[in-house]
Amino acid sequence: NTFNFQPFPSDFFLPSYLVLSLPMNRSIMLSSIARQAIRKAGALPLSSTTGFQASRAFATSGFPPPRLFDYETVTSNLTVSDAIESVEEAFKALAKGKVDVPMPMHIGIEESSVAGPGDCHIKGGYVSATPTFTVKLACVSFYKNVEKNLPPGSGIFIVVNAITGAPLGVFQENRFMTDLRTGAAGAVAMKYCTNPDQEVVGFIGCGAIAKNMARAAAAVRPYKGVAFAFEGAEEFAKEMSEELGVPFEVVSSAEELCGKSDIIYTQTPGGSTVLEKDWLNPNGVTIIASGSDQPTKCEIPPDVLAASKYISDLTKQTSKVGELRSALAAGVMREDDVHAELGEVVNGDKSGREGNEIIVVDLTGTGAQDAAIGQVAWDKLSQL
């Protein structure tokens, strides 16, 4: 289930510094850029050329190739329970400024005769004083794949040695690890932003992320489940009830679910809002929203956000691609209205639930979580 990368095919164009490091008996067609680079190098004084060659050799030798872990290996050896503790620690570090998390990169693939439609998200991060960092590439919404009997999403995690900078492993996880770390964040939100007497948990949207949220919630404490989705709610409820030993009820509308639930997980495509303020439990509710991760998505109406104790996973991110973005755009909130980032609540610097209030926890997914699950995956799978 694990193997090393194979050499590039002979017709693959490579930069000159890589071409020159290949065995001499390989027939390599050099690109015009590579030829120009070699000619320029040949025109340098001997001392400069020697330095060029030495630095090239130093840069390309000595590191073993990264290990590739295929999808079956990843999915058969990792669970959401593996991720909860490490993701909780990552949120703590994030709130203390101990994580380097750049803003996500988004590549939109417009539909044409040769491509798309689809989206590619690139995230990553480094948690201070940990031995690895992670870069993740996640592709979603490639809906034409369905015609080819392929899933609409795929992805890889690249885990890198934080001492040497050399890639250690590439995990072909096809969003499985992303869903695990999202579920783990849902567990952290439930642990710190709800009370033990909130025992009815609703799930709006019943796909892969909902299953990990259900598993994660069960790791926090026992609960009674309520499920609603336009498709798949019955199957979700049956599977989760059998797996977790949790009683589940399937309801016919999001309004009915909101009226029954103390805690609501929303994990939908985010094309439109999924609940209304008047539907919510008057005794207080915690909404844990994870469907928005692009500027075009929104699950929670602005008036609900404005009335809530709003908690972000990372405010600089939720203000651009999360639920907060829509409230800012509607003029009903300012960034000063953010009660806390989740890590601040975990650390005890800010309060969680206080009385019969509406809490919204906005989970857009951070590079800190990716770094956390990447470390867990490397620690566990590298021992196989």
Side-chain angles (χ1 to χ4, degrees):
N1 286 327
T2 66
F3 54 89
N4 292 332
F5 286 120
Q6 299 301 310
F8 291 103
S10 60
D11 60 350
F12 193 92
F13 289 147
L14 294 175
S16 61
Y17 67 90
L18 289 180
V19 170
L20 294 178
S21 70
L22 294 170
M24 294 298 294
N25 61 357
R26 293 298 303 272
S27 175
I28 301 296
M29 183 181 294
L30 298 177
S31 69
S32 60
I33 296 175
R35 293 192 186 100
Q36 292 172 14
I38 292 171
R39 282 198 295 269
K40 289 179 181 179
L44 294 172
L46 181 59
S47 59
S48 298
T49 305
T50 303
F52 173 77
Q53 292 171 339
S55 64
R56 179 176 65 242
F58 180 79
T60 58
S61 66
F63 293 126
R67 294 178 64 184
L68 176 59
F69 299 92
D70 63 26
Y71 182 75
E72 291 299 325
T73 303
V74 172
T75 57
S76 61
N77 286 280
L78 292 176
T79 69
V80 69
S81 296
D82 293 323
I84 293 174
E85 183 179 354
S86 62
V87 167
E88 182 175 336
E89 291 300 315
F91 276 120
K92 289 181 180 179
L94 185 61
K96 294 177 180 177
K98 299 294 185 181
V99 184
D100 188 2
V101 183
M103 287 295 292
M105 179 190 297
H106 172 248
I107 302 172
I109 313 300
E110 66 179 14
E111 184 172 5
S112 69
S113 61
V114 297
D119 295 282
C120 176
H121 305 281
I122 302 170
K123 294 180 179 180
Y126 174 63
V127 180
S128 181
T130 58
T132 68
F133 63 91
T134 294
V135 178
K136 179 190 74 175
L137 183 150
C139 293
V140 299
S141 304
F142 283 80
Y143 295 120
K144 284 186 178 179
N145 286 358
V146 177
E147 303 168 3
K148 306 169 186 175
N149 293 319
L150 294 172
S154 63
I156 60 171
F157 273 61
I158 303 172
V159 177
V160 184
N161 188 315
I163 299 173
T164 66
L168 295 170
V170 177
F171 297 79
Q172 184 197 22
E173 49 87 45
N174 294 344
R175 295 190 53 80
F176 179 80
M177 287 167 60
T178 293
D179 291 347
L180 290 188
R181 60 85 153 141
T182 301
V188 175
M190 180 172 168
K191 179 179 178 180
Y192 288 95
C193 300
T194 69
N195 291 334
D197 58 356
Q198 292 182 285
E199 60 178 13
V200 181
V201 181
F203 298 86
I204 299 178
C206 295
I209 294 177
K211 292 176 182 179
N212 280 313
M213 291 297 189
R215 294 174 181 127
V220 177
R221 62 176 180 268
Y223 64 89
K224 300 173 184 176
V226 183
F228 169 75
F230 293 116
E231 293 182 1
E234 294 282 355
E235 294 84 352
F236 166 81
K238 183 176 184 296
E239 181 181 345
M240 291 296 97
S241 182
E242 292 175 353
E243 178 183 328
L244 303 173
V246 172
F248 264 89
E249 175 187 2
V250 177
V251 296
S252 60
S253 68
E255 182 175 2
E256 184 179 358
L257 180 144
C258 289
K260 293 174 177 285
S261 301
D262 304 310
I263 301 165
I264 301 171
Y265 285 95
T266 65
Q267 49 279 313
T268 70
S272 60
T273 57
V274 299
L275 52 78
E276 295 182 14
K277 185 180 175 184
D278 291 343
W279 300 351
L280 300 176
N281 188 332
N283 295 320
V285 62
T286 298
I287 301 168
I288 301 170
S290 61
S292 294
D293 58 2
Q294 295 180 41
T296 57
K297 295 183 177 182
C298 178
E299 290 187 307
I300 311 302
D303 64 330
V304 174
L305 295 166
S308 74
K309 176 185 281 185
Y310 173 87
I311 299 171
S312 70
D313 56 3
L314 186 62
T315 302
K316 71 175 184 179
Q317 193 166 290
T318 62
S319 64
K320 302 295 189 297
V321 299
E323 301 297 338
L324 179 59
R325 177 200 59 79
S326 63
L328 295 175
V332 297
M333 285 184 69
R334 301 174 301 173
E335 285 196 30
D336 291 344
D337 295 321
V338 174
H339 170 69
E341 292 187 346
L342 183 55
E344 294 178 296
V345 180
V346 174
N347 286 335
D349 298 327
K350 297 287 183 71
S351 62
R353 171 159 293 282
E354 299 173 296
N356 299 334
E357 58 191 351
I358 299 172
I359 293 179
V360 173
V361 184
D362 191 356
L363 301 178
T364 53
T366 71
Q369 294 162 250
D370 294 323
I373 189 64
Q375 181 71 62
V376 168
W378 174 251
D379 287 345
K380 193 170 185 180
L381 273 62
S382 65
Q383 302 305 310
L384 298 177

